[in-house]
Every structure is written in C-alpha cells, then in structure tokens.
Amino acid sequence: MFSIGELSKRTKVKVPTIRYYEQMGLLAEAERTSGNQRRYDKTGLERLSFIRHARDLGFSIEAISSLIELQEHPDRSCEAATDIAVSQLADVREKIKRLKLLEKELSRISKGCDGQGVSEDCYVLASLADHELCSREH
Amino acid sequence: MFSIGELSKRTKVKVPTIRYYEQMGLLAEAERTSGNQRRYDKTGLERLSFIRHARDLGFSIEAISSLIELQEHPDRSCEAATDIAVSQLADVREKIKRLKLLEKELSRISKGCDGQGVSEDCYVLASLADHELCSREH
DNA sequence: CTTGAACCTCTAGTCACTAGAGATTGTAGA
DNA sequence: TCTACAATCTCTAGTGACTAGAGGTTCAAG
C-alpha cells in the first residue's frame, strides 16, 4: 500500500489530477488510512496507468469511462472498444490533415519577411488581415 | 453601419463570440445606437476578419492581442510579428509530430482485433493497459 | 402601432485540469 | 517521546475560448 504521492511518482500523473480522476469516477474511491489519507495498491496503479496511457493517446475522459466500463463487462467488449479506438484514430487523422494545411500557410507567411522583404508593410500582418492572400484553404 | 448579427454573418463569427472578443479587448468597444445596440463599420469588419483568420490559424487570443498591438505601433512591428508567426509554426509542427506518432500507435491498436483476433482478450484494452506493448514512444 | 426577430446583460457551464487556502496527518531525526 | 515539516486532506476558484440560457429591451417591417 502506498500514498497518493508515491502513485503520482510511479505513474507521472500529478496528485491533484489523481484526485480529479477519482472525483470523475475514473478511479474507484481509494482506501483510506485512519487519518483519511488515500492508500493504493497494484490494482490502483494499473488502473491509473491505463488512464494515463489513454489520455496520452488523446482519448477523452468520457471515452476512457466507456473503455473502463467495457473492461468490467468483458462480453462483446472487443468490438465496442475497437470502435472507440477507430473513432479516436479518425479524429487524429483529421487533426493532422488540418494542421498540415496550417503548417503550409504559416510557413509561407513566416517567410514573407525574409530576404528583401515586402516593401514597408509587414507581410505577416497583411496575410492575417487578408484571407485572399492565402494560397489554399484552411 | 451594421448590427452585430450582420457582422456575424459576414465574418462567420458567432454573435456571442464577437461580444466575448470585445470583452477580452481584442475588438474596440463598438459604437452604440441610442437603444444601446452595437453598430459596426468597415474598420470593425476588418479587425474581426483579422482575428478570425488568426484564430483559424491557431493563434491564441493572447498572441492575437500582441499582433494587434504591433499593428497599432508599426515601428519594428514586422520582426516581432514574424517571431510570433514563427513560434506558432513551430507549435504546429510539434503538434503534427506528436499526432503522427499517435496515429501509428492507434492504427496498430485498432487493427489488433481484425482477422483472426488475439484469442479471448481485447487487444485494444490490453494495449492501453500496457504501455510496453507500444511499438514506439508517444 | 403591433409583432416578433434581434439585440442587450448577466450568470453559469464546458473540458481537463491547475492553483491556492487553510487545516490535518504521517514520519524521520533528536 | 517529542518535534518539525513534508505530505496529505477538502474546498473553492481560475484557466482558455468559447457556448447556453434567462429575462428583459429595441429595432424594423407590415
């Protein structure tokens, strides 16, 4: 049995975040010492590692809640879990697509001031002011 | 002179968001009719278009504030504005990098359940539970 | 002059935390 | 055993960038 600080160290999840996860129902309520401090064991550690990993992969708290529920009712859980993962993947791909367009636009804008420059006006500000100057959609 | 609803239509920025921008100091306080309703002109329209475009490119409200201040004090503004754009670009590139790693991982995880499957356990849940199963950092 | 869409302000909610106040507990060293 | 003090507790409020809703007022067309 170890303290919340120890759990925090081992999982690299901050102490207030652990309490927040408990409050949100992602973590079961921890056992307490006689003095009301939380104590955890291997189960708690594994559960939190799962949550942390899923958060790192961009799953929302809500999605993680669903995944945890699936874990606890293992019948047919695989399909449903895969659905969640696939939808998360679609999300990530969409974000990548959008960010790549932004990258092109920003790199074009940033380069505007290099070299001989664009007379007296700032190209960055001009580009932001006038969407027509954009080379593509974003 | 036109209303906030008209401005909203022309810029595709929602009415409450326009009021929010005013409150945050991004937009100058609009003129008012005798009945206290906001009225805008070309200047307001251009300013809001600038903000909207910058938001679309992922600039924070704070960054936009800086850009607007630069616009208003044009001496040396170009270098500073370029700095902001370049830092925004670095940000975007970093995000793309991270998301690409996630994409690989998620697509690997999602595929786990296809075809013959991985015996009775759900590969998605197992992968999330055990970071060691990841093929690379993320 | 009436109607009703559009406007006003204000408060509170969203997500996933993070920060701080003020009080209590656990534990290592003297 | 006592003492210090780090770690813990609960609670409230703040973050960013809005969004939603209540309850009231104004504008403009017919």
Side-chain angles (χ1 to χ4, degrees), chain B:
Chain B
M1 302 290 274
F2 40 86
S3 70
I4 196 170
E6 183 61 27
L7 182 63
S8 167
K9 245 180 241 160
R10 294 204 204 176
T11 55
K12 271 135 187 82
V13 176
K14 288 183 191 149
V15 169
T17 305
I18 297 173
R19 290 197 275 250
Y20 169 75
Y21 287 160
E22 182 182 306
Q23 206 186 317
M24 293 298 100
L26 285 192
L27 284 172
E29 296 203 3
E31 282 181 57
R32 302 288 184 128
T33 63
S34 57
N36 200 34
Q37 298 197 356
R38 292 170 179 82
R39 285 299 110 109
Y40 298 90
D41 59 7
K42 193 161 156 286
T43 310
L45 180 68
E46 282 167 2
R47 166 66 63 91
L48 185 54
S49 302
F50 176 93
I51 295 169
R52 144 112 219 203
H53 193 189
R55 285 292 302 133
D56 279 352
L57 289 167
F59 289 83
S60 69
I61 296 285
E62 211 196 323
I64 296 172
S65 267
S66 307
L67 288 170
I68 285 173
E69 220 176 305
L70 292 172
Q71 260 182 326
E72 279 160 5
H73 307 282
D75 43 316
R76 295 182 47 78
S77 77
C78 193
E79 274 157 87
T82 306
D83 281 355
I84 294 174
V86 165
S87 128
Q88 178 63 21
L89 177 58
D91 234 63
V92 167
R93 287 191 169 142
E94 183 58 35
K95 276 184 195 150
I96 290 174
K97 219 162 102 187
R98 286 213 59 212
L99 284 173
K100 278 187 174 169
L101 290 174
L102 292 193
E103 192 205 347
K104 280 200 191 105
E105 205 52 52
L106 281 169
S107 100
R108 196 181 55 72
I109 290 174
S110 305
K111 273 193 213 113
C113 287
D114 282 3
Q116 55 271 35
V118 191
S119 72
E120 55 274 342
D121 285 332
C122 177
Y123 188 65
V124 171
L125 295 176
S127 294
L128 288 171
D130 190 356
H131 199 158
E132 302 301 310
L133 293 176
C134 292
S135 50
R136 39 182 85 64
E137 277 315 303
H138 54 244

Side-chain angles (χ1 to χ4, degrees), chain A residues 103-119:
Chain A
E103 192 206 347
K104 280 198 192 107
E105 204 53 51
L106 281 169
S107 98
R108 196 182 54 72
I109 290 174
S110 304
K111 274 192 212 115
C113 287
D114 282 4
Q116 55 269 35
V118 190
S119 74

Side-chain angles (χ1 to χ4, degrees), chain A residues 126-138:
Chain A
S127 294
L128 288 171
D130 190 357
H131 200 158
E132 302 301 311
L133 294 175
C134 292
S135 51
R136 40 183 84 66
E137 278 313 303
H138 55 245

